[in-house]
Amino acid sequence: MEEIIKVENIRKTFNDNVEILKGISFSVEKGEVLSIIGPSGSGKSTMLRCISQLETVSDGTISICGKTLVKNGIYADKKERHDIILKSGLVFQNFNLFPHYSVLKNVVDPQVQVLKKSKEDAEETAIELLKRMGLGEKIKNYPCELSGGQQQRVSIARALALKPEVLLFDEPTSALDPELTGEILAVIKELAAEKMTMVVVTHEMAFARDISSKIIFMDGGVIVEQGDPVEIINHPKTERMQAFLSRFASN
């Protein structure tokens, strides 16, 4: 199998000398879905932000599609980093759409700016993806005119428009009302069925169990358990994992 992401012993320390990531290592192969679960403050989102270059690591190595982003804490040059960032697409928990842009323009502009596509080609791709997301009738609307679930589907279309090798989801349903969560989970399930490589930080335990190739449970900046989704969720081996799942169930 082709390795899409390889993370080796990454560490992240913030200015107050608090170590958030304490030697994280894992890999994701082409077509796999990796779900990352764990309590707030465990380092899940920070780790995802390091992969997508929104944060820099303090030490360790990250490779994406065989290209080394950072090795032992030393980053590749600016051009190489730019090329690598195009390999992944990040879907934020709070959508991050431009409020003064129409739905169509939100998906068109990144293609023009980043991929240097013509406006015509970008619009064709955007309309195709928005229709696929069930938003064909909304292309002239503005984000404020959409539900949270619709806004998140626009952000997924925007990420897909850049043709990434891997999609990164940072708690994609956490900003949604419970009744809207299902529509986003359905989109991710559809992408998984198409063998889109994905890394999903999520608090949806049943979803993570059902959709994932493997699951990582993080706590305190380390990986506590990782492995088969059904085993991890249904038969946790560590007390920390058992306590996390029981707290989650009680909520």
Side-chain angles (χ1 to χ4, degrees), residues 133-242:
M133 295 292 153
L135 297 168
E137 303 298 315
K138 301 287 186 181
I139 64 173
K140 294 181 180 178
N141 289 78
Y142 288 83
C144 65
E145 299 173 312
L146 305 181
S147 70
Q150 289 170 332
Q151 290 185 61
Q152 190 62 292
R153 279 183 276 152
V154 175
S155 67
I156 294 172
R158 178 182 59 187
L160 288 170
L162 297 180
K163 300 190 181 305
E165 293 291 328
V166 57
L167 271 183
L168 311 173
F169 291 88
D170 186 11
E171 297 276 13
T173 62
S174 66
L176 301 179
D177 294 331
E179 63 267 24
L180 298 176
T181 294
E183 64 187 66
I184 299 306
L185 299 184
V187 169
I188 299 174
K189 282 184 178 179
E190 184 181 317
L191 292 171
E194 296 170 1
K195 298 300 182 182
M196 181 77 199
T197 309
M198 293 184 282
V199 179
V200 185
V201 171
T202 183
H203 59 273
E204 303 284 344
M205 295 300 109
F207 170 74
R209 180 193 61 207
D210 294 343
I211 197 177
S212 304
S213 310
K214 56 188 175 186
I215 285 179
I216 285 174
F217 169 61
M218 288 181 64
D219 192 18
V222 300
I223 294 175
V224 179
E225 287 193 44
Q226 61 180 313
D228 177 78
V230 174
E231 284 297 311
I232 291 283
I233 299 296
N234 292 357
H235 308 289
K237 294 181 175 61
T238 62
E239 289 185 8
R240 290 165 83 183
M241 182 66 171
Q242 291 166 8

Side-chain angles (χ1 to χ4, degrees), residues 5 10 13 65 71 105 114 133 185 192 240-241 245:
I5 293 177
I10 64 169
T13 303
C65 296
K71 185 172 184 178
K105 188 171 172 61
V114 177
M133 295 292 153
L185 299 184
R240 290 165 83 183
M241 182 66 171
L245 290 174

Side-chain angles (χ1 to χ4, degrees), residues 52-94:
S52 61
Q53 300 190 48
L54 293 176
E55 296 280 359
T56 56
V57 301
S58 305
D59 197 9
T61 299
I62 299 174
S63 300
I64 301 177
C65 296
K67 294 181 178 292
T68 302
L69 171 64
V70 54
K71 185 172 184 178
N72 299 327
I74 300 171
Y75 276 84
D77 61 40
K78 187 175 180 180
K79 182 184 183 305
E80 184 78 357
R81 290 176 67 174
H82 179 264
D83 290 344
I84 292 170
I85 201 171
L86 295 180
K87 302 290 184 183
S88 67
L90 179 61
V91 177
F92 298 88
Q93 53 185 292
N94 292 316

